[in-house]
């Protein structure tokens, strides 16, 4: 491991909570695509599969920030464990209804309930921020590391989920994802030493972290970005099935994540001087442009190469986004602020997977790649329009008080 990455793990407990976070985040890459694969295996209806995946993502988008707000106020252990149990019960109900071929509406009810799954990635990043708050360079490396972990999840998660559901039984992928969530959350919440200190209600400035104008830009842009990811997943599964190699979809999607993983690893080693807002704008535009070659994909090998190149823009953009969230959100609401970006992605995944499913059913897989192109164009447009909010001075009510309280604490220490 290069020395900047070794350095961030010198702090006690960092290896343990990062490993727990890896397990807890595996469902992020396994559950949605696992539901798509399971339903398409059982019914052959990609429209229904995409709609269920969209419901799951949309529910997480609505409930996730509420859970994170409670975490900021009451702590990770007190909130994450009961929320996880509710999510697991809903996943169990979804799998049972699918296996028993019950009415479609029952599937949607349990898919909505599964939205109680916590944003484990935000919990891990909040722990890094607590440890390296006074060291921007190490925090940049830590965020880069977590982006690498995210992409490793997306490399292996779809392979495991699609592979098990196609080779073993249709419900196997989502079932294993639920198991990863349970183990990861229990292991993480057992580590009390690195858990961020809760901020009581009196330390909050009132309302939601989403009142930040900068965070609003990030979230809306990430809705469009999430539509890229959701549509690429659904269309790639259908594209591989049309060519008689459905299981190969997991390998193609893994290559997409591999490109992001490698880019994130390099990005974490760099000492960047350009403004974070400028880097973010460039990254969003690069993600949009990289969707254009997918229109020319006529074979799985060509598609894999195109997705690998497209993946190179993902992790650097995500790392920069976390840095911008920390700049534009008060410390007492940091976990919620980070979760709002995940919420934007989840909403986008919901819209993108649903739209892609209907396009595939109506016109075929190749036509479906028009959806990520449209989503990328929208993301770039929103990023340009909101750039001034991110590049200007941060005027966040409560941040000055938050910083003054920190300075007082440091002087006391």
């Amino acid at each position: 491991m290069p020395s900047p990455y070794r350095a961030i793990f010198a702090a006690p407990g960092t290896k343990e909570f990062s490993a727990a976070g890896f397990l807890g985040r595996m469902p992020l890459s396994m559950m949605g695509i696992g539901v798509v694969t399971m339903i398409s295996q059982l019914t052959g209806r990609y429209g229904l599969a995409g709609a269920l995946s969209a419901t799951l993502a949309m529910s997480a988008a609505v409930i996730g920030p509420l859970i994170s707000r409670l975490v900021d106020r009451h702590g990770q252990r007190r909130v994450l464990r009961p929320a996880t149990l509710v999510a697991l019960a809903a996943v169990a109900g979804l799998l049972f209804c699918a296996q028993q071929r019950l009415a479609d509406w029952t599937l949607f009810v349990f898919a909505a309930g599964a939205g109680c799954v916590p944003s484990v990635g935000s919990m891990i990043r909040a722990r890094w921020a607590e440890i390296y708050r006074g060291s921007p360079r190490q925090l940049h490396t830590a965020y880069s590391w977590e982006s690498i972990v995210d992409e490793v999840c997306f490399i292996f998660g779809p392979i495991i989920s699609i592979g098990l559901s196609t080779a073993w039984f249709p419900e196997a992928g989502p079932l294993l994802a639920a198991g990863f969530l349970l183990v990861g959350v229990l292991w993480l919440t057992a580590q009390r030493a690195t858990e961020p200190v809760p901020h009581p209600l009196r330390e909050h400035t009132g309302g939601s972290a989403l009142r930040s104008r900068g965070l609003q830009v990030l979230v809306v842009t990430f809705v469009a970005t999430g539509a890229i990811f959701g549509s690429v997943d659904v269309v790639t599964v259908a594209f591989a099935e049309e060519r008689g190699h459905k299981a190969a979809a997991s390998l193609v999607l893994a290559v997409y994540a591999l490109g992001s993983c490698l880019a994130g690893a390099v990005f974490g080693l760099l000492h960047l001087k350009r403004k974070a807002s400028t880097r973010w704008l460039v990254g969003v535009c690069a993600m949009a442009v990289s969707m254009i070659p997918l229109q020319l994909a006529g074979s799985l090998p060509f598609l894999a190469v195109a997705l690998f190149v497209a993946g190179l823009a993902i992790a650097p953009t995500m790392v920069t986004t976390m840095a911008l969230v920390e700049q534009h959100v008060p410390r007492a609401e940091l976990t919620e602020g980070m979760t709002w970006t995940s919420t934007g992605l989840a909403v986008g995944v919901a819209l993108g997977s649903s739209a892609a499913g209907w396009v595939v059913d109506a016109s075929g897989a190749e036509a479906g790649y028009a959806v990520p192109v449209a989503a990328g164009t929208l993301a770039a447009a929103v990023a340009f329009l909101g750039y001034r909010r991110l590049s200007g001075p941060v005027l966040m009510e409560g941040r000055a008080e938050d910083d003054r309280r920190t300075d007082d604490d440091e002087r006391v220490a």
Side-chain angles (χ1 to χ4, degrees):
M1 186 180 292
S3 57
Y5 290 110
R6 288 201 306 269
I8 63 172
F9 285 106
T14 52
K15 296 184 182 68
E16 289 77 10
F17 74 66
S18 186
F22 170 73
L23 292 180
R25 273 178 287 184
M26 284 296 285
L28 183 66
S29 64
M30 294 178 64
M31 189 63 72
I33 196 67
V35 168
V36 169
T37 307
M38 175 183 69
I39 297 300
S40 64
Q41 288 279 100
L42 293 173
T43 68
R45 298 163 59 190
Y46 275 95
L48 175 62
L52 282 172
S53 179
T55 300
L56 183 66
M58 189 68 74
S59 175
V62 172
I63 301 175
L66 301 178
I67 293 176
S68 293
R69 188 181 305 177
L70 291 173
V71 166
D72 281 328
R73 296 178 181 180
H74 303 289
Q76 294 185 1
R77 181 186 179 92
R78 291 181 60 186
V79 176
L80 296 188
R81 289 191 172 187
T84 299
L85 292 178
V86 173
L88 292 176
V91 171
L94 174 63
L95 299 187
F96 176 80
C97 292
Q99 197 274 334
Q100 295 295 317
R101 310 293 200 277
L102 299 184
D104 289 352
W105 66 266
T106 62
L107 300 177
F108 285 99
V109 169
F110 284 111
C116 284
V117 59
S119 177
V120 177
S122 298
M123 308 301 158
I124 300 301
R125 288 177 172 88
R127 293 193 181 215
W128 284 117
E130 188 78 8
I131 294 172
Y132 291 122
R133 177 166 290 117
S135 178
R137 182 72 187 94
Q138 288 181 298
L139 191 56
H140 166 76
T141 304
Y143 286 158
S144 297
W145 170 258
E146 292 306 318
S147 289
I148 295 171
V149 174
D150 283 339
E151 299 311 327
V152 170
C153 290
F154 277 96
I155 290 172
F156 292 104
I159 294 176
I160 296 171
S161 188
I162 296 175
L164 289 179
S165 291
T166 54
W168 198 3
F169 57 92
E171 301 85 0
L175 183 62
L176 183 60
F180 278 132
L181 177 65
L182 177 62
V183 174
V185 169
L186 290 179
W187 188 11
L188 176 65
T189 53
Q191 301 174 42
R192 304 299 300 275
T194 54
E195 180 179 349
V197 177
H199 297 270
L201 184 60
R202 60 182 173 80
E203 295 187 20
H204 291 255
T205 57
S208 168
L210 196 58
R211 70 192 180 283
S212 163
R213 290 164 58 86
L215 183 59
Q216 291 168 8
V217 174
L218 296 174
V219 172
V220 174
T221 305
F222 268 38
V223 171
T225 303
I228 295 175
F229 300 153
S231 57
V232 166
D233 281 353
V234 172
V235 178
T236 299
V237 172
F239 186 90
E241 184 177 32
E242 285 184 358
R243 280 148 185 79
H245 301 286
K246 185 175 183 178
S250 59
L251 298 176
V252 175
L253 293 174
V255 170
Y256 187 28
L258 177 62
S260 179
C261 181
L262 295 178
V266 174
F267 191 71
L269 301 176
L270 302 179
H271 185 62
L272 303 172
K273 297 181 179 180
R274 182 173 294 181
K275 290 172 58 176
S277 57
T278 302
R279 297 199 308 268
W280 179 81
L281 178 62
V282 172
V284 172
C285 292
M287 292 175 64
V289 172
S290 69
M291 292 296 103
I292 297 176
L294 302 184
Q295 302 294 297
L296 307 175
S299 65
L300 287 173
F302 181 93
L303 178 62
V305 173
L307 286 177
F308 176 82
V309 175
L312 296 176
I314 297 176
T317 306
M318 298 299 181
V319 173
T320 307
T321 298
M322 293 301 109
L324 289 171
V325 170
E326 193 180 19
Q327 291 177 15
H328 288 265
V329 174
R331 183 173 304 167
E333 298 164 2
L334 183 58
T335 306
E336 182 192 350
M338 290 180 173
T339 302
W340 272 114
T341 61
S342 300
T343 290
L345 283 174
V347 171
V349 168
L351 297 175
S353 60
S354 182
W358 295 115
V359 172
V360 168
D361 282 347
S363 305
E366 290 190 29
Y369 280 118
V371 178
V373 172
T377 302
L378 179 60
V382 175
F384 270 110
L385 292 174
Y387 173 71
R388 292 184 62 182
R389 290 190 180 186
L390 294 173
S391 59
V394 178
L395 299 176
M396 168 63 69
E397 180 184 358
R399 174 169 286 280
E401 173 66 21
D402 188 52
D403 292 341
R404 183 169 61 81
R405 184 185 297 114
T406 300
D407 293 338
D408 292 342
D409 292 342
E410 289 175 353
R411 282 194 293 270
V412 172

